[in-house]
Coordinates of all heavy atoms in Angstrom, one line a residue:
M1 N 0.9 -1.2 0.0 CA -0.1 0.0 0.0 C 0.8 1.3 0.0 O 0.4 2.3 -0.5 CB -0.9 0.0 1.3 CG -2.0 -1.1 1.2 SD -3.2 -0.9 -0.2 CE -3.9 0.7 0.1
Y3 N 3.4 2.0 -1.7 CA 3.8 2.3 -3.1 C 2.6 3.1 -3.7 O 2.8 4.1 -4.4 CB 4.0 1.1 -4.0 CG 4.0 1.3 -5.4 CD1 5.2 1.9 -6.0 CD2 3.0 0.9 -6.3 CE1 5.3 2.0 -7.4 CE2 3.1 1.1 -7.6 CZ 4.2 1.8 -8.2 OH 4.3 1.9 -9.5
Y4 N 1.4 2.7 -3.5 CA 0.2 3.3 -4.0 C 0.0 4.7 -3.4 O -0.3 5.7 -4.1 CB -1.0 2.5 -3.8 CG -1.0 1.1 -4.5 CD1 -0.7 0.0 -3.8 CD2 -1.1 1.0 -5.9 CE1 -0.6 -1.2 -4.4 CE2 -1.1 -0.2 -6.5 CZ -0.8 -1.3 -5.8 OH -0.7 -2.5 -6.4
F5 N 0.1 4.8 -2.1 CA 0.0 6.2 -1.5 C 1.1 7.1 -1.9 O 0.8 8.3 -2.0 CB 0.0 5.9 0.1 CG -1.4 5.4 0.6 CD1 -1.5 4.1 1.1 CD2 -2.5 6.2 0.6 CE1 -2.6 3.7 1.6 CE2 -3.6 5.8 1.1 CZ -3.8 4.5 1.6
K6 N 2.3 6.6 -2.1 CA 3.3 7.4 -2.5 C 3.1 8.0 -3.9 O 3.3 9.3 -4.1 CB 4.6 6.7 -2.6 CG 5.9 7.5 -2.9 CD 7.1 6.7 -3.1 CE 7.1 5.8 -4.4 NZ 8.3 5.1 -4.6
N7 N 2.6 7.2 -4.8 CA 2.3 7.7 -6.1 C 1.0 8.6 -6.1 O 0.8 9.4 -7.1 CB 2.1 6.6 -7.1 CG 3.4 6.0 -7.4 OD1 4.1 6.5 -8.4 ND2 3.8 5.0 -6.7
G8 N 0.1 8.3 -5.2 CA -1.1 9.2 -5.1 C -0.9 10.5 -4.4 O -1.7 11.4 -4.5
L9 N 0.2 10.6 -3.6 CA 0.4 11.8 -2.9 C 0.8 13.0 -3.8 O 0.5 14.1 -3.5 CB 1.6 11.5 -1.9 CG 1.9 12.6 -0.9 CD1 0.8 13.0 0.0 CD2 3.2 12.2 -0.1
F12 N -2.1 14.9 -5.1 CA -2.9 15.5 -3.9 C -2.0 16.8 -3.5 O -2.7 17.9 -3.3 CB -2.9 14.6 -2.8 CG -3.5 15.2 -1.6 CD1 -4.9 15.5 -1.5 CD2 -2.7 15.5 -0.5 CE1 -5.4 16.1 -0.4 CE2 -3.3 16.1 0.6 CZ -4.6 16.4 0.7
Q15 N -2.7 19.5 -5.9 CA -4.0 20.0 -5.7 C -4.0 21.2 -4.7 O -4.6 22.2 -4.9 CB -5.0 19.0 -5.2 CG -5.5 18.1 -6.2 CD -6.7 17.3 -5.6 OE1 -7.8 17.7 -5.4 NE2 -6.4 16.0 -5.3
K94 N -3.5 0.7 -12.4 CA -2.8 1.5 -11.3 C -2.8 2.9 -11.4 O -2.9 3.7 -10.5 CB -1.4 0.9 -11.2 CG -1.3 -0.5 -10.6 CD 0.2 -0.9 -10.4 CE 0.2 -2.3 -9.8 NZ 1.6 -2.7 -9.6
F96 N -5.2 4.8 -12.6 CA -6.4 5.3 -12.2 C -6.5 5.3 -10.7 O -7.1 6.2 -9.9 CB -7.6 4.5 -12.7 CG -7.6 4.6 -14.3 CD1 -7.1 3.5 -15.1 CD2 -8.2 5.7 -14.9 CE1 -7.2 3.7 -16.4 CE2 -8.3 5.8 -16.3 CZ -7.8 4.7 -17.0
M97 N -5.9 4.3 -10.0 CA -5.9 4.1 -8.6 C -5.1 5.3 -8.0 O -5.5 5.8 -6.9 CB -5.2 2.8 -8.2 CG -5.1 2.6 -6.7 SD -6.6 2.6 -5.8 CE -7.3 1.1 -6.3
F98 N -4.0 5.7 -8.5 CA -3.2 6.8 -8.0 C -4.1 8.1 -8.1 O -4.1 8.9 -7.0 CB -2.0 7.0 -8.9 CG -1.0 5.9 -9.0 CD1 -0.2 5.7 -10.1 CD2 -0.9 5.0 -7.9 CE1 0.7 4.6 -10.1 CE2 -0.1 3.9 -7.9 CZ 0.8 3.7 -9.1
G99 N -4.9 8.3 -9.1 CA -5.7 9.4 -9.2 C -6.7 9.4 -8.1 O -7.2 10.4 -7.4
F100 N -7.4 8.2 -7.9 CA -8.4 8.0 -6.8 C -7.8 8.3 -5.4 O -8.5 9.0 -4.7 CB -9.0 6.6 -6.9 CG -10.0 6.4 -5.9 CD1 -11.3 6.8 -6.0 CD2 -9.7 5.7 -4.6 CE1 -12.2 6.6 -5.0 CE2 -10.6 5.4 -3.7 CZ -11.9 5.9 -3.8
I101 N -6.7 7.8 -5.2 CA -6.1 8.0 -3.9 C -5.9 9.6 -3.6 O -6.1 10.0 -2.5 CB -4.7 7.2 -3.8 CG1 -5.0 5.7 -3.7 CG2 -4.0 7.6 -2.5 CD1 -3.8 4.8 -3.8
S102 N -5.5 10.3 -4.6 CA -5.3 11.7 -4.4 C -6.5 12.4 -4.1 O -6.6 13.5 -3.5 CB -4.6 12.3 -5.7 OG -5.5 12.3 -6.7
C103 N -7.7 11.9 -4.5 CA -9.0 12.5 -4.3 C -9.6 11.9 -3.1 O -10.8 12.4 -2.7 CB -9.9 12.3 -5.5 SG -9.3 13.2 -7.0
A104 N -9.1 10.9 -2.5 CA -9.8 10.2 -1.4 C -10.2 11.1 -0.2 O -11.2 11.1 0.4 CB -8.9 9.1 -0.9
P105 N -9.2 12.1 0.2 CA -9.6 13.0 1.2 C -10.8 13.8 0.9 O -11.7 14.0 1.8 CB -8.4 13.9 1.4 CG -7.2 13.1 0.9 CD -7.8 12.3 -0.2
T106 N -11.0 14.3 -0.3 CA -12.1 15.1 -0.7 C -13.4 14.2 -0.7 O -14.4 14.7 -0.1 CB -11.9 15.7 -2.1 OG1 -10.8 16.5 -2.1 CG2 -13.1 16.4 -2.6
L169 N -12.5 14.3 -9.0 CA -12.4 12.8 -9.1 C -12.3 12.3 -10.6 O -11.2 11.6 -10.8 CB -13.5 12.1 -8.4 CG -13.4 10.6 -8.2 CD1 -12.2 10.2 -7.4 CD2 -14.7 10.1 -7.6
M173 N -8.4 11.2 -12.1 CA -8.4 9.8 -12.4 C -8.1 9.5 -13.8 O -7.3 8.7 -14.2 CB -9.6 9.0 -11.8 CG -9.7 8.8 -10.4 SD -11.2 7.8 -9.9 CE -10.7 6.2 -10.6

Side-chain angles (χ1 to χ4, degrees):
M1 290 301 292
Y3 170 74
Y4 299 103
F5 281 110
K6 182 184 73 173
N7 283 273
L9 184 62
F12 175 73
Q15 275 191 79
K94 286 185 177 180
F96 299 99
M97 176 61 73
F98 300 151
F100 176 79
I101 290 172
S102 72
C103 296
T106 299
L169 186 61
M173 284 185 66

